[in-house]
Amino acid sequence: VLKCKAAVAWEAGKPLSLEEVEVAPPKAHEVRIKIVATAVCHTDAYTLSGADPEGCFPVILGHEGAGIVESVGEGVTKVKPGDTVIPLYIPQCGECKFCKNPKTNLCQKIRITQGKGLMPDGTSRFTCKGKQIYHFMGTSTFSEYTVVADISVAKIDAAAPLDKVCLLGCGISTGYGAAVNTAKVEPGSTCAVFGLGGVGLAVIMGCKITGASRIIGIDLNKDKYAKAKEFGATECISPQDFKKPIQEVLVEMTDGGVDYSFECIGNVGVMRAALEACHKGWGVSVIVGVAAAGQEISTRPFQLVTGRTWKGTAFGGWKSVDSVPKLVTEYMSKKIKVDEFVTHTLPFDKINEAFELMHTGK
């Protein structure tokens, strides 16, 4: 059993608390990882807020991390101590019917226990002050050491800078994949991206790489426009600058609507606007943002009858174990940007400040 520092969420709505935790050794088909770098994501904040129906407390959050394998349990063959890895919140077992189907990346092998904050055998590897602490998204990267299932880990290039590639564990991969895998954006397309945070910027990057000719960024926060243009947005607009609904503005700007739109916020009203901003006959809208529990989307069925398509994506459609090492290679060969997504680098004990920076859009 190792003792280390972790940021524990004791209850919903409270700041994270830095504690000494005990991390049990990995059992069969488990891997214990020394986390070198982790990022914060709105999904962590969503669970911390108490709005997540699957949220369990006390818990160690975090799902965008990178580190080095410290030890492995019985039966682990794909990684060994010393390997450089990224933990995966969507695993890839290669055996379930989801893994065997090329149409999806949603491996279901450990879905039920992962959703309950437990390892596949139904127990936790974390304790603190004599209490069991739950796992989060099968990863729990807000700890100096974590234990994950062996199907939830991708071995990557040992030369990759971990404080950058940790972002490929969620946000960048999700947005980039939404454009290239889920929407399959074509050269010459017109795209609209709603929400210019990390995921939205990654969508813009994906649209640009696939050769979209016009990429319109939409956000209320105009401070984000310069960055969006660096990533490939051709123009940026704010819904607050118009008297009419944003979908009507976009339809007028684009001679009937965009070919592809992406909702990267998690707001059901914006999801509707994104669909209705699409061109009749062929427009495709992809939901990337995660809405709060119990919320529903709506539109007039005629929108779909007249040829628009509504899609969703999780982790950008990437089959995780196979794809994350390739994404790291694409970054190392400068095909995709990663460094440019990092705005601040803080010591682990300032993790609550990182959440503040995220909430203020900085």
Side-chain angles (χ1 to χ4, degrees), residues 111-352:
R111 179 73 202 97
I112 290 167
T113 48
Q114 182 171 316
K116 292 178 180 163
L118 299 167
M119 293 300 290
D121 71 347
T123 63
S124 166
R125 300 291 162 269
F126 297 121
T127 49
C128 180
K129 298 179 178 171
K131 291 197 177 99
Q132 171 186 282
I133 308 291
Y134 287 106
H135 292 250
F136 177 66
M137 288 174 74
T139 52
S140 290
T141 61
F142 292 172
S143 174
E144 290 179 321
Y145 288 89
T146 189
V147 179
V148 304
D150 63 353
I151 58 171
S152 303
V153 66
K155 182 182 170 182
I156 61 160
D157 183 343
L162 300 188
D163 60 331
K164 306 294 193 293
V165 296
C166 61
L167 293 171
L168 293 169
C170 178
I172 298 178
S173 305
T174 297
Y176 178 47
V180 301
N181 297 330
T182 309
K184 296 187 168 59
V185 173
E186 296 149 323
S189 307
T190 296
C191 303
V193 180
F194 292 78
L196 302 176
V199 174
L201 293 175
V203 171
I204 290 172
M205 176 173 78
C207 292
K208 184 180 179 183
I209 287 171
T210 54
S213 58
R214 193 172 177 193
I215 304 167
I216 304 164
I218 301 122
D219 203 299
L220 299 173
N221 182 351
K222 293 186 178 179
D223 294 342
K224 298 194 168 185
Y225 293 178
K227 197 82 164 166
K229 286 177 179 167
E230 265 176 58
F231 277 87
T234 51
E235 62 221 278
C236 294
I237 57 174
S238 167
Q240 286 174 332
D241 291 346
F242 303 93
K243 297 257 190 324
K244 55 179 78 164
I246 193 69
Q247 53 265 55
E248 288 179 29
V249 174
L250 285 159
V251 167
E252 281 177 20
M253 280 173 68
T254 57
D255 185 27
V258 299
D259 302 311
Y260 299 97
S261 70
F262 300 86
E263 197 280 351
C264 307
I265 302 161
N267 177 311
V268 292
V270 178
M271 290 173 189
R272 177 174 189 159
L275 176 80
E276 295 177 358
C278 282
H279 202 288
K280 184 193 280 189
W282 63 76
V284 174
S285 187
V286 181
I287 294 173
V288 192
V290 177
Q295 297 199 319
E296 297 181 353
I297 48 173
S298 61
T299 190
R300 291 201 304 283
F302 194 66
Q303 291 282 339
L304 301 175
V305 170
T306 51
R308 294 169 194 82
T309 304
W310 222 341
K311 301 179 94 165
T313 188
F315 196 55
W318 301 106
K319 295 229 184 223
S320 60
V321 174
D322 291 344
S323 303
V324 168
K326 291 177 187 160
L327 289 166
V328 170
T329 302
E330 284 194 5
Y331 157 65
M332 301 290 276
S333 63
K334 299 196 162 45
K335 186 190 170 188
I336 58 172
K337 292 177 154 78
V338 174
D339 297 16
E340 293 81 354
F341 286 87
V342 180
T343 55
H344 297 74
T345 303
L346 300 166
F348 185 41
D349 55 13
K350 297 237 172 102
I351 191 161
N352 287 308

